[in-house]
Amino acid sequence: MGVLLFLTVFQCAINSVNTYGVSNPNVVLLIADDLGIGDLGCYGNRTLRTPNIDRLAKEGVTLTQHIAASPLCTPSRAAFLTGRYPIRSGMAAFSRVGVFLFSASSGGLPSEEITFSKLLKQRGYATALIGKWHLGMNCESNNDFCHHPLSHGFDYFYGLTVTNLRDCKPGHGSVFLKGVQRYLVILIQILGVTVVSVAVVHYIGFFKVPFQALGLCLLIISISLAVLIFFFYNFRHLNCFLMRDHQIIQQPLSYENLTQRLTTEAVRFIERNHNAPFLLVLSYLHVHTALYASKMFRGKSRHGLYGDAVEEMDWSVGGKSTNWEGGIRVPGLLRWPGVIQAGTYIDDPTSNMDIFPTIVKLAGAQLPYDRIIDGHDLMPLLQGKVIRSKHEFLFHYCNAYLNAVRWHPGNSESVWKVFFFTPNFTPEDSSGCYDSHVCFCYGGFVTHHDPPLLFDLSRDPEEKVPLTPETESRFYEILSVMQLAVDNHTRSLQAVSDQLSWNNLVWKPWLQLCCSSFSQFCYCDYDSENSLPEVYSG
Ligand SMILES: *[C@@H]1O[C@H](CO)[C@@H](O)[C@H](O)[C@H]1NC(C)=O
Ligand SMILES: *[C@@H]1O[C@H](CO)[C@@H](O)[C@H](O)[C@H]1NC(C)=O
Ligand SMILES: *[C@@H]1O[C@H](CO)[C@@H](O)[C@H](O)[C@H]1NC(C)=O
């Protein structure tokens, strides 16, 4: 879940018919979670072979300092779609849980947010999201779909609305049951002891309680408890399902051939829309689910690079969930034959928030003027018209707490990075986050640094030796510039409703989607007929 890879493939033409030219290119964005910068051959990995991705790099631009706005997937995706720091849309958690865990919780990307898909759709693009969404579903009833991809500018959706937790795979253990079991047992014990002692007290006549009221109270508590236990024991059925648009087509989700099914959907979408400009966001689940795709796909894809890139999504999982460089520096590769110079490396800091203004401008749409967009258009950089990105400063958050800043001064090669606090690492959990859903960003879970930890990434990319006033003569001068930037950034934040508050994270039974009656255990499978097309079997 940790980090976000994107591969951007601007394809002017499928089947080499260039209909739209440079102004209305087709856009394919491939996103995979949990792919670290060290995992790709083109970023120096010698043991793991990703030949097609490497070819993409050779033919396009490789961003070596590409930064995800957050190490967690929910906020990172929000930033990607809106071009803004997740804190601006309320998509950064003040509590410990930093991502949505249940399909029936009320938080999600607010409808006031403007996604690039909304803007491209207004420009006549056909838009599709295939794969994982993870930015919420409903607000108040189980069919308002206020946070659903179709409410955020996508014409077509095929995929999961939550993440694929371990709990979704039969036989892979449970993230939750382990965590809640202990509390449930304690709750049941307390309840039992209360019932017995109240009965005894009443029997002795020690004090007269209105027995019926008390009984009703206990009944309500017992029912709520039973519902909770039911929920956690049926986690897979209730949370892991596949949707097409607003319809559930497989509940619970089957992992069999899932990556092929996603790819099939993507190919079909492109085939349906080859006459129109289109935007396709293909968002993979766990990369390792693609493991046996490769052999079957090799050389079979009709869509050249696009298909080849897809078929080679067979990487191992390695991301970390921190703001150390291993957690947020992600592979960023862009290819646009004839427009972007092949084989280029860009070492200037770029952000996954930059995709928003870049493709909005390419589609000829207007950037929203009523809000701050934190990303910058990448095209001048990609085309070599400028050598410096506009990101003089980039801010790093641990959930909703700003913990680090990066500064690349315009007149210098240095890339300064300062940490105001760092999560405390424990031996069994070296990332500071648990299972990529829960991060420890405040109180006793973090260490505050005064003076802050300062590194020069250009000299010390692994952040091994913090600088001191002795080793860096401009130590305090650098810190004060960065503090001013933080103050300015903080001032620009507006109060918004917290989408990851406990109230917006908890399971709300009335928001639960179920494709059959509850007595049939929310079971259905309409996706079986979606068999593999001739592209893959032939
Ligand atoms: C290549 O990737 C694998 C898997 O993530 C990792 O174990 C290995 O250390 C990487 N090698 C290099 C040279 O980064
Ligand atoms: C998965 O793919 C294999 C190989 O094409 C096929 O035999 C199998 O029926 C597929 N399973 C499902 C559930 O589609
Ligand atoms: C202050 O922050 C705003 C909003 O992010 C930004 O547009 C502006 O460039 C910043 N000003 C300075 C001097 O950094």
Side-chain angles (χ1 to χ4, degrees):
M1 188 119 2
V3 295
L4 193 80
L5 153 89
F6 76 88
L7 301 169
T8 316
V9 186
F10 298 106
Q11 267 176 316
C12 295
I14 298 287
N15 303 329
S16 46
V17 184
N18 189 339
T19 331
Y20 301 100
V22 174
S23 62
N24 263 348
N26 293 327
V27 178
V28 179
L29 298 162
L30 310 181
I31 309 169
D33 292 320
D34 269 340
L35 192 68
I37 186 124
D39 293 343
L40 295 179
C42 54
Y43 284 88
N45 197 310
R46 302 261 166 269
T47 51
L48 209 70
R49 291 185 310 140
T50 52
N52 289 313
I53 299 297
D54 300 350
R55 184 154 61 84
L56 190 74
K58 225 178 271 157
E59 293 173 1
V61 170
T62 304
L63 307 173
T64 64
Q65 296 287 327
H66 192 69
I67 310 297
S70 162
L72 291 178
C73 55
T74 292
S76 190
R77 273 156 201 265
F80 176 67
L81 281 163
T82 62
R84 288 145 60 79
Y85 286 105
I87 186 110
R88 295 198 197 277
S89 49
M91 296 294 277
F94 287 90
S95 58
R96 264 181 247 169
V97 178
V99 304
F100 298 115
L101 299 172
F102 311 132
S103 65
S105 51
S106 55
L109 191 63
S111 17
E112 310 83 60
E113 287 299 321
I114 297 177
T115 57
F116 56 71
S117 40
K118 264 185 203 167
L119 297 175
L120 264 61
K121 186 177 153 83
Q122 283 167 13
R123 290 284 301 165
Y125 271 71
T127 54
L129 178 86
I130 291 169
K132 189 171 96 173
W133 172 242
H134 211 186
L135 292 172
M137 184 144 58
N138 289 308
C139 291
E140 278 162 14
S141 71
N142 71 1
N143 60 4
D144 63 41
F145 296 109
C146 64
H147 304 304
H148 189 277
L150 297 201
S151 305
H152 278 294
F154 290 101
D155 301 322
Y156 184 68
F157 171 59
Y158 175 93
L160 284 76
T161 58
V162 283
T163 185
N164 62 332
L165 293 164
R166 215 178 325 147
D167 302 54
C168 290
K169 285 181 199 166
H172 281 72
S174 166
V175 178
F176 287 105
L177 220 47
K178 226 173 42 191
V180 295
Q181 227 161 17
R182 196 156 46 99
Y183 296 104
L184 285 180
V185 169
I186 295 172
L187 262 172
I188 291 168
Q189 281 167 348
I190 292 175
L191 197 67
V193 171
T194 314
V195 171
V196 172
S197 32
V198 166
V200 169
V201 164
H202 185 81
Y203 183 75
I204 300 173
F206 197 59
F207 91 111
K208 289 278 172 233
V209 274
F211 216 60
Q212 269 142 351
L214 206 72
L216 191 68
C217 199
L218 285 176
L219 188 70
I220 291 173
I221 294 174
S222 312
I223 290 176
S224 324
L225 212 60
V227 168
L228 270 185
I229 292 171
F230 170 83
F231 174 74
F232 283 109
Y233 275 91
N234 291 283
F235 189 91
R236 188 166 156 251
H237 276 262
L238 296 177
N239 292 291
C240 316
F241 51 76
L242 194 65
M243 291 184 102
R244 174 176 283 122
D245 295 336
H246 289 148
Q247 194 87 35
I248 295 183
I249 52 171
Q250 194 176 54
Q251 187 173 16
L253 169 74
S254 157
Y255 278 87
E256 204 181 335
N257 302 344
L258 188 55
T259 300
Q260 286 101 316
R261 282 187 272 155
L262 296 178
T263 309
T264 303
E265 286 290 330
V267 171
R268 284 182 184 165
F269 171 78
I270 292 176
E271 283 172 352
R272 277 199 303 277
N273 292 288
H274 70 275
N275 288 325
F278 65 79
L279 163 74
L280 169 63
V281 180
L282 186 49
S283 161
Y284 282 90
L285 312 170
H286 265 252
V287 255
H288 66 243
T289 54
L291 264 176
Y292 55 99
S294 205
K295 217 172 8 197
M296 271 164 62
F297 280 23
R298 200 173 304 281
K300 298 285 190 347
S301 162
R302 277 198 228 141
H303 295 284
L305 167 95
Y306 161 73
D308 293 349
V310 170
E311 71 190 25
E312 283 302 330
M313 283 252 163
D314 55 350
W315 309 305
S316 71
V317 176
K320 269 204 232 160
S321 299
T322 62
N323 277 328
W324 297 97
E325 290 296 293
I328 50 169
R329 240 176 86 202
V330 295
L333 303 171
L334 298 99
R335 175 184 183 269
W336 191 358
V339 178
I340 299 176
Q341 177 77 38
T344 313
Y345 281 80
I346 291 177
D347 300 325
D348 227 41
T350 50
S351 159
N352 65 349
M353 298 183 292
D354 296 339
I355 296 301
F356 178 95
T358 306
I359 64 179
V360 166
K361 279 187 85 170
L362 286 174
Q366 280 296 317
L367 283 174
Y369 49 83
D370 62 340
R371 62 197 67 206
I372 293 170
I373 301 294
D374 297 297
H376 294 296
D377 183 6
L378 285 172
M379 285 314 286
L381 196 63
L382 297 178
Q383 294 180 291
K385 291 187 180 149
V386 298
I387 49 163
R388 276 302 170 85
S389 87
K390 284 195 186 157
H391 288 292
E392 192 176 347
F393 297 97
L394 278 167
F395 304 94
H396 304 297
Y397 282 82
C398 182
N399 286 349
Y401 306 93
L402 196 150
N403 82 313
V405 181
R406 168 190 308 254
W407 178 32
H408 193 26
N411 55 357
S412 143
E413 289 309 307
S414 295
V415 181
W416 305 105
K417 185 159 168 201
V418 65
F419 282 90
F420 301 107
F421 70 84
T422 45
N424 298 335
F425 294 162
T426 56
E428 66 275 13
D429 171 35
S430 58
S431 67
C433 292
Y434 170 70
D435 247 344
S436 302
H437 312 307
V438 178
C439 283
F440 300 101
C441 302
Y442 56 81
F445 300 112
V446 301
T447 303
H448 286 268
H449 303 285
D450 190 17
L453 298 181
L454 180 67
F455 299 93
D456 180 357
L457 298 181
S458 70
R459 285 176 284 162
D460 178 15
E462 291 172 52
E463 299 161 312
K464 285 212 171 100
V465 190
L467 298 166
T468 63
E470 287 73 44
T471 56
E472 174 53 62
S473 57
R474 291 161 298 162
F475 186 82
Y476 288 109
E477 199 184 313
I478 291 160
L479 285 185
S480 75
V481 173
M482 293 175 93
Q483 188 58 52
L484 284 178
V486 169
D487 293 343
N488 177 55
H489 169 73
T490 310
R491 262 198 311 274
S492 76
L493 302 176
Q494 285 172 358
V496 288
S497 69
D498 180 2
Q499 298 297 326
L500 289 151
S501 65
W502 288 114
N503 181 41
N504 278 329
L505 280 172
V506 294
W507 177 56
K508 296 186 172 168
W510 60 93
L511 298 183
Q512 183 65 50
L513 283 184
C514 183
C515 64
S516 65
S517 68
F518 273 102
S519 61
Q520 286 170 299
F521 299 109
C522 298
Y523 176 84
C524 60
D525 188 357
Y526 309 120
D527 203 44
S528 303
E529 75 269 17
N530 186 358
S531 55
L532 301 172
E534 72 284 5
V535 182
Y536 308 118
S537 55

